[in-house]
Amino acid sequence: MLKVPRVRGAAQLRLFVEEIGFVRVCKVLDVHEATLRRWLREESPVPAAPLQALYWLTSWGFADACAEAHWSHQFLLGKVRELEAAINWRAPARWVAANEQEFRAPGALVVLQLV
């Protein structure tokens, strides 16, 4: 499951704007250019929601999403293999319990002599 990224502050906003582009960030967040400039100059605090939204548009967010998809797939593939093994398992044709009289233990037969 994807976790909420820990991003905050104008410093990370600058990184995101450099990667995505100023105009595209304004369009994606639906904010005026003056608002974005105020956030970048740290005249007003940057809300957490826009930063988290921008994170997923960057290469860092894409890498996180790809890694999460990969490891989720690996986990689920392991579960599928476990279930397939459980379905395909069959008991031997002649199932004999150890406490039945006909039970013969596998291996060499050792004869004990009582003295």
Side-chain angles (χ1 to χ4, degrees), residues 41-57:
R41 288 190 303 250
E42 300 182 41
E43 291 175 4
S44 61
V46 183
L51 278 175
Q52 292 170 358
L54 289 175
Y55 175 79
W56 296 111
L57 296 175

Side-chain angles (χ1 to χ4, degrees), residues 1 5 7 36 45-46 54 73 76 101 114:
M1 173 182 275
V7 289
L36 187 56
V46 183
L54 289 175
H73 174 74
L76 293 174
Q101 291 181 5
L114 297 175

Side-chain angles (χ1 to χ4, degrees), residues 8 24 52-53 55 59 68 72 90:
R8 49 176 74 99
R24 185 164 180 228
Q52 292 170 358
Y55 175 79
S59 57
E68 178 64 30
S72 295
R90 293 196 176 126

Side-chain angles (χ1 to χ4, degrees), residues 22-84:
F22 187 85
V23 175
R24 185 164 180 228
V25 168
C26 289
K27 285 182 183 177
V28 166
L29 297 179
D30 195 25
V31 296
H32 195 270
E33 292 177 2
T35 304
L36 187 56
R37 284 191 186 98
R38 266 197 322 270
W39 290 346
L40 290 169
R41 288 190 303 250
E42 300 182 41
E43 291 175 4
S44 61
V46 183
L51 278 175
Q52 292 170 358
L54 289 175
Y55 175 79
W56 296 111
L57 296 175
T58 64
S59 57
W60 299 292
F62 182 75
D64 272 359
C66 288
E68 178 64 30
H70 171 74
W71 291 114
S72 295
H73 174 74
Q74 293 298 316
F75 173 77
L76 293 174
L77 189 60
K79 291 293 180 186
V80 166
R81 287 184 178 148
E82 285 178 18
L83 291 171
E84 285 176 342

